[in-house]
Amino acid sequence: MSESTARQSYHHGDLRHALLEAGIELAREGGPDAVVLREATRRVGVSPNAAYRHFADRDALLSAVSDASLALLATRIDALFDAIPAGSAELVARAQLRAVGTGYVAFALDEPGLFRTAFVAENLDRSSEASKSGRSGRSPLVLLTAALDEFVASGIMPPARRPQAEFLAWSSVHGFALLLIDGPLRALPREQADAVTQRVIDMVEAGFTAP
Amino acid sequence: MSESTARQSYHHGDLRHALLEAGIELAREGGPDAVVLREATRRVGVSPNAAYRHFADRDALLSAVSDASLALLATRIDALFDAIPAGSAELVARAQLRAVGTGYVAFALDEPGLFRTAFVAENLDRSSEASKSGRSGRSPLVLLTAALDEFVASGIMPPARRPQAEFLAWSSVHGFALLLIDGPLRALPREQADAVTQRVIDMVEAGFTAP
DNA sequence: TGTACATCAGTGAACGCGCGTTCACTGATGTAC
DNA sequence: TGTACATCAGTGAACGCGCGTTCACTGATGTAC
C-alpha cells in the first residue's frame, strides 16, 4: 500500500510502524524465520540501518511482530466470543469454550505464518504472562479461564478437574492446529478440517464434563 | 566417543554413520536448526565437502537425523507398550493409549531437541505415511490405532467417534508436549509435568469413552 | 517573524560471519589378469 | 603372488550469498531568543 509509493521527504514519518507492518507481512508469508530485518527495510524503501533507530536489533523487531500476531489471534477469537447469544450460564460457557477453540484453529488455518510467529518460543510465555498481568484483559487465555470457571460454577465440571484445565484445552487445540498446518492433516480440505476441529472441542468438553 | 580419537587412515570407514551421529548430537543440543552440515563434518574431523559423498545436501542430512529422532521416539514408546501387563482387552487398550501418550511426552521432556527435529515440517507427514505403508510396523501411530480399534471392539467407545480419533489424541499430546518444552508450562517441575500429562490422557480417554 | 543551533532520523559504505556448495585434486582400496 | 588400473572416498581452497550490525556522515525538524 503506502510502501509502494516512494516517500517524498527525507524523514519517513512513521518508520517504526511501517517496519512493523512489513515484518507482519513477512511473517504472514513465511513465518518467523522470514522476518528479516534487511528485507523489511527494503520493502519500506529505507536503508537497512535506519531500522536501528526504532528497534534495538532484529530480535526486537521479531518480538514486536510476534506480539502483533498474537493480538490478531486474540481479535479473531474475540469476534466469535462476542457473537455468542444469551442463554443459560452453562450453555454460554460451553459456547465460549467452543468459540475460543474454533477461533484459534481458524486463525491457524487462515494465517499459518502469523500463527507460527505468534508462538515463537520466547513469546509463548509472554502470551500467558501478559494475560495474567491483565494488560490485555481479553486475551484468549483470559476468555478460556472465564469459560472454565463457569463450567465449575454451573456444576458441569467437577472442581477437582479445574486446575490446569486451561492448559489441557489449549494443548489439544494448539496441537491440532499444528497437525493441520504443518502435519499429517495438512491436506485435509477446509470443511473437513473445520468439522474435525469441532470434534476436538467435543473431546475436550466431554473430557471435562464426563461423570 | 570415536569422533574424539583422530582417525588413522585416509578413508574414514563409516563416514555416513559418523555424520548421522554427529547430526543427531547437534539436533539433541539445539533442535533442527542446529543441524549444520559444516559443524557435523567438523565434529567428525573431516573436510566439509566430504559430507557430499554420503548426503546429497544439507537437507538430506537433516532428513536422516529427523528419521532417526522419530525412531528414538518410537523406541521409547515401544518400551512402555511392551511393559503393559496382561488383562482384559478393555484394560489393555486403556493402558496402551496411556503408554503411547506417556512415552510421547516423556521423550519430548527428555530430548526436546530431538523431539522438535523429529517433527520438522516435512517429516511430520512422513511419520504417518511410514506407518501406513507398514515399513515400520510398530510406529506410535500404528500402536495408537490398534489401541483405539480395541476401544471400539470392547464397547467403551462409540463407533461414530472412531474416525480420526488417532489425530484427536495425537493433537492433545503433541500440543501438551510443546507447551511443556517451549511454552507456558516450561517451568513446571518434572514431577508435576508428569502428573499433568496423566490428566491430559485422562481427558482424552474420557472424551472418547464418555456416554 | 527570523535566525542559530541542537537534536532527530535518515544515508552510504563497509565489516565480518558462517553457511552451503563446487572445483580440481590425491590417497586408498579392490579387482582383473 | 604380483602388478596395472579403475574406482572410491577423501582433501584443500575457494565461491557467492545474505545476513546483522557498525561507522561516520547529512538532511530535516523543532525550539530559544
Side-chain angles (χ1 to χ4, degrees):
Chain A
M1 318 295 156
S2 68
E3 292 94 304
S4 58
T5 65
R7 73 181 198 282
Q8 309 288 3
S9 73
Y10 190 90
H11 283 186
H12 181 279
D14 196 3
L15 184 52
R16 185 189 158 87
H17 180 250
L19 287 171
L20 183 56
E21 287 297 315
I24 291 170
E25 195 50 37
L26 290 171
R28 171 174 280 129
E29 294 165 13
D33 290 349
V35 179
V36 165
L37 191 144
R38 289 185 86 107
E39 177 63 19
T41 60
R42 231 174 271 135
R43 293 197 175 194
V44 173
V46 101
S47 66
N49 46 0
Y52 289 86
R53 293 281 163 202
H54 303 282
F55 297 96
D57 53 21
R58 187 249 169 191
D59 256 17
L61 173 62
L62 178 57
S63 272
V65 172
S66 182
D67 287 347
S69 304
L70 217 41
L72 288 171
L73 168 60
T75 300
R76 174 82 182 233
I77 290 175
D78 262 21
L80 290 181
F81 212 82
D82 289 339
I84 295 172
S88 73
E90 178 193 323
L91 282 180
V92 168
R94 288 186 194 266
Q96 286 176 339
L97 175 68
R98 194 158 297 268
V100 173
T102 302
Y104 196 92
V105 174
F107 183 79
L109 283 171
D110 290 341
E111 295 287 6
L114 296 183
F115 181 81
R116 282 190 283 119
T117 305
F119 293 110
V120 133
E122 85 270 356
N123 236 19
L124 241 185
D125 275 334
R126 215 179 317 159
S127 71
S128 59
E129 277 162 22
S131 49
K132 276 179 204 152
S133 77
R135 201 161 47 79
S136 53
R138 303 257 307 170
S139 86
L141 188 53
V142 165
L143 299 181
L144 179 57
T145 297
L148 294 178
D149 285 345
E150 189 56 42
F151 268 56
V152 174
S154 62
I156 58 175
M157 179 179 182
R161 271 183 216 161
R162 180 64 188 79
Q164 311 273 34
E166 293 87 341
F167 297 105
L168 305 195
W170 190 354
S171 291
S172 300
V173 163
H174 188 68
F176 184 65
L178 291 176
L179 296 199
L180 281 175
I181 67 182
D182 269 346
L185 300 182
R186 193 191 314 188
L188 214 62
R190 177 59 186 257
E191 53 186 44
Q192 286 189 44
D194 289 338
V196 184
T197 302
Q198 297 308 309
R199 294 190 47 217
V200 173
I201 300 170
D202 291 343
M203 176 190 74
V204 172
E205 193 179 339
F208 287 161
T209 61
Chain B
M1 318 293 162
S2 68
E3 293 93 305
S4 61
T5 64
R7 73 181 196 283
Q8 309 289 5
S9 73
Y10 189 90
H11 284 187
H12 180 281
D14 196 2
L15 183 52
R16 186 191 157 87
H17 181 250
L19 287 171
L20 182 56
E21 288 295 316
I24 292 171
E25 195 51 37
L26 291 170
R28 170 175 281 130
E29 293 165 14
D33 291 349
V35 179
V36 165
L37 191 144
R38 289 183 87 105
E39 177 63 19
T41 59
R42 232 174 270 134
R43 294 197 175 193
V44 172
V46 101
S47 66
N49 46 0
Y52 289 86
R53 293 281 163 204
H54 303 281
F55 297 96
D57 53 21
R58 187 250 170 190
D59 257 17
L61 173 62
L62 178 57
S63 272
V65 172
S66 181
D67 287 346
S69 304
L70 217 41
L72 289 170
L73 167 60
T75 300
R76 174 83 180 233
I77 289 174
D78 262 20
L80 290 180
F81 212 83
D82 288 340
I84 294 171
S88 73
E90 178 194 324
L91 282 179
V92 168
R94 289 186 192 266
Q96 286 175 339
L97 175 67
R98 193 158 298 268
V100 173
T102 302
Y104 196 92
V105 174
F107 183 79
L109 283 170
D110 290 341
E111 295 287 6
L114 295 183
F115 181 80
R116 283 189 283 120
T117 305
F119 293 110
V120 134
E122 85 272 355
N123 235 17
L124 241 185
D125 275 335
R126 215 179 318 161
S127 69
S128 59
E129 277 162 22
S131 49
K132 275 178 204 152
S133 79
R135 203 161 44 81
S136 51
R138 304 258 307 170
S139 87
L141 188 53
V142 164
L143 298 181
L144 178 56
T145 297
L148 293 178
D149 285 345
E150 189 56 42
F151 268 55
V152 175
S154 61
I156 57 175
M157 180 179 182
R161 274 185 213 157
R162 180 64 189 79
Q164 310 273 35
E166 293 88 340
F167 296 105
L168 305 195
W170 189 355
S171 290
S172 300
V173 163
H174 188 68
F176 183 65
L178 291 176
L179 295 198
L180 281 176
I181 67 183
D182 269 346
L185 300 182
R186 193 193 314 189
L188 214 62
R190 177 61 187 255
E191 54 185 44
Q192 286 189 45
D194 288 339
V196 185
T197 303
Q198 296 309 307
R199 294 192 45 219
V200 173
I201 300 169
D202 291 343
M203 176 190 74
V204 172
E205 193 180 338
F208 288 161
T209 61

